[in-house]
């Protein structure tokens, strides 16, 4: 297909069709720019592993893939707070409106600062809101925001080792003021490091709540996780450390 019908017939102006049937007979070419089309680029989080109380910068890019200039491009930033995979209007944390006029085939980058964001792992989105945009499928970009926890938010509170039935466990306690997502946390002893899988369910430890990591199933009434590769605790001495995903 020809991309820009008003331009020369050089090779760069011809591209394979991306239409579902592989062609667009009697219709607008699938590769040709629409009138208004803001194409979202990458969304970056800086720093990539922020610590608790760090300032965070979200940087979003947009490319004018249409034929018309875009006046005062606007982008909304959202955080999937409830983790349901959707971004509702109530999850909007702010927006940036640029004063520039974005000409066709030009790009623009903008940034948004976040402070005092809660710890945990979140999906974030940058959604460009351009009046009359004819292609809504490319208006959004996404990234993962992983904010580390404060020191000693989750602590090792009790240890069982050398039991008669070979059950060993480590009890964790949330002594902080906010829920803790234990996915990706690392438990290490003197000889190994184990990562709590990101695929587990029921992974939030509420303030004041206990959570047990173990090598075998224990009492049903105890909230616990059988952790593959659970370290074999030495009976004389060992060094245990617990670190978050950051």
């Amino acid at each position: 297909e020809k991309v820009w019908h008003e331009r020369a017939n050089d090779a760069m102006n011809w591209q394979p069709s991306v239409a579902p049937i592989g062609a667009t007979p009697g219709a607008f070419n699938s590769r040709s720019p629409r009138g208004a089309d803001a194409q979202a680029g990458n969304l970056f989080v800086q720093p990539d592993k922020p610590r608790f109380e760090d300032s965070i910068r979200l940087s979003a890019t947009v490319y004018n893939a249409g034929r018309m200039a875009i006046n005062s491009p606007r982008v909304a930033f959202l955080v999937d707070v409830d983790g349901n995979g959707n971004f509702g209007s109530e999850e909007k944390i702010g927006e940036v409106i640029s004063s520039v006029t974005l000409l066709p085939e030009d790009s623009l980058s903008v940034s948004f600062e976040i402070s005092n964001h809660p710890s945990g792992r979140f999906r974030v989105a940058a959604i460009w809101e351009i009046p009359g945009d004819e292609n809504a499928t490319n208006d959004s970009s996404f990234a993962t925001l992983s904010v580390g926890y404060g020191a000693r938010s989750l602590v090792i509170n009790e240890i069982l080792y050398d039991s008669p039935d070979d059950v060993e466990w480590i009890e964790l306690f949330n002594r902080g003021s906010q829920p803790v997502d234990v996915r990706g946390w690392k438990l290490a002893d003197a000889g190994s490091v184990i990562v709590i899988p990101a695929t587990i369910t029921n992974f939030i430890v509420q303030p004041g709540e206990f959570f047990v990591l173990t090598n075998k199933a224990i009492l049903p009434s105890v909230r616990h996780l059988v952790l593959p590769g659970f370290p074999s605790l030495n009976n004389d001495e060992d060094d245990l450390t617990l670190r978050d995903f950051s």
Side-chain angles (χ1 to χ4, degrees):
E1 296 179 347
K2 196 171 187 180
V3 180
W4 293 83
H5 62 77
E6 64 270 43
R7 295 185 181 178
N9 287 321
D10 57 80
M12 294 297 296
N13 200 30
W14 287 84
Q15 297 291 331
S17 174
V18 292
I21 64 172
T24 54
F28 197 84
N29 285 354
S30 63
R31 288 282 193 173
S32 294
R34 272 47 182 173
D37 184 9
Q39 179 179 310
N42 291 329
L43 174 60
F44 295 101
V45 178
Q46 298 169 312
D48 58 345
K49 292 182 179 180
R51 300 296 303 169
F52 180 65
E53 295 184 341
D54 279 352
S55 294
I56 302 166
R57 173 177 294 179
L58 302 180
S59 299
T61 301
V62 66
Y63 171 75
N64 186 350
R67 298 173 179 273
M68 299 168 51
I70 299 175
N71 296 314
S72 302
R74 176 198 304 260
V75 59
F77 293 92
L78 302 93
V79 178
D80 184 15
V81 177
D82 55 20
N84 67 356
N86 299 315
F87 293 89
S89 58
E90 72 283 359
E91 295 176 309
K92 180 177 176 180
I93 59 173
E95 67 179 17
V96 174
I97 303 175
S98 173
S99 60
V100 308
T101 296
L102 191 62
L103 300 177
E105 300 181 282
D106 278 353
S107 60
L108 170 72
S109 294
V110 299
S111 297
F112 181 76
E113 299 287 337
I114 306 175
S115 58
N116 299 318
H117 194 279
S119 299
R121 283 183 168 176
F122 307 90
R123 290 288 287 167
V124 292
I127 303 177
W128 292 90
E129 302 171 342
I130 307 300
D133 196 312
E134 299 176 40
N135 183 11
T137 64
N138 64 357
D139 293 346
S140 304
S141 54
F142 306 92
T144 298
L145 172 62
S146 300
V147 182
Y149 291 86
R152 295 179 294 280
S153 295
L154 191 68
V155 297
I156 297 174
N157 193 61
E158 189 175 351
I159 302 170
L160 175 68
Y161 66 96
D162 194 24
S163 68
D165 52 4
D166 292 327
V167 173
E168 297 184 332
W169 49 257
I170 297 171
E171 180 191 76
L172 309 180
F173 175 64
N174 183 352
R175 63 182 294 274
S177 60
Q178 62 176 315
V180 173
D181 179 348
V182 299
R183 294 176 299 174
W185 280 62
K186 301 176 182 67
L187 176 67
D189 69 351
S192 61
V193 178
I194 304 301
V195 180
I196 299 177
T199 55
I200 66 170
T201 57
N202 196 21
F203 48 78
I204 301 297
V205 184
Q206 298 295 335
E209 190 174 35
F210 299 95
F211 188 76
V212 174
L213 304 176
T214 179
N215 63 341
K216 296 182 180 180
I218 57 177
L219 296 175
S221 60
V222 178
R223 188 176 176 211
H224 66 278
L225 170 67
V226 178
L227 189 60
F230 186 89
S232 179
L233 302 177
N234 296 331
N235 295 335
D236 48 3
E237 65 176 293
D238 209 340
D239 293 319
L240 291 174
T241 58
L242 181 68
R243 299 182 185 277
D244 68 18
F245 46 72
S246 63

